[in-house]
Amino acid sequence: PLAQRLGAALVGGAATALAGCPFDVLKTRLMAQSASGDALYSSAFDCLFATVRTEGFFALWKGLFPVYCRQAPFNLGNYLIMEALLDILVRDPSPPR
C-alpha cells in the first residue's frame, strides 16, 4: 500500500539525516575555515574532537531539521520510483505492451 511505502520512505529519510548530519556539520565547519583563511582545525578529526569538547556531543546534529527536510523528499521520490520500477520490471508477469 502507498501509505506503508510513504511511511518507510520518511523513516528512511530520518535515518539518513541522523547518520549524515554529523558529517555535514564537520564539512561545513571545515569549509568555513577554508573560506575565511583562519585555520581553526588541522584535520577532520581535530574538528570533530574540538566540536564535541567545546559544544558537546549533540552539537554534531545541529541543523538536523533542515537536513531531514532536504533528505525526506529525496528518499520519498527515490523509494516510490524504485518500487514502481520493480513492479513493472520484476513483479509484473504480464508481457510488455
Side-chain angles (χ1 to χ4, degrees):
L2 183 62
Q4 185 179 12
R5 291 177 179 178
L6 175 70
L10 294 177
V11 169
T16 303
L18 284 169
C21 192
F23 297 102
D24 279 348
V25 168
L26 296 176
K27 175 194 62 119
T28 302
R29 289 173 187 232
L30 289 168
M31 288 175 61
Q33 84 165 1
S34 298
S36 69
D38 298 331
L40 300 173
Y41 312 108
S42 60
S43 67
F45 286 111
D46 181 41
C47 182
L48 170 70
F49 296 133
T51 300
V52 171
R53 183 175 52 249
T54 58
E55 299 177 48
F57 180 71
F58 292 106
L60 296 172
W61 284 272
K62 280 186 176 179
L64 178 63
F65 185 69
V67 171
Y68 177 73
C69 288
R70 180 184 70 213
Q71 193 63 42
F74 173 78
N75 273 27
L76 177 62
N78 193 26
Y79 187 69
L80 293 178
I81 290 169
M82 181 197 69
E83 286 292 318
L85 287 173
L86 282 174
D87 285 342
I88 292 168
L89 298 174
V90 176
R91 298 179 190 145
D92 187 11
S94 63
R97 298 180 214 172

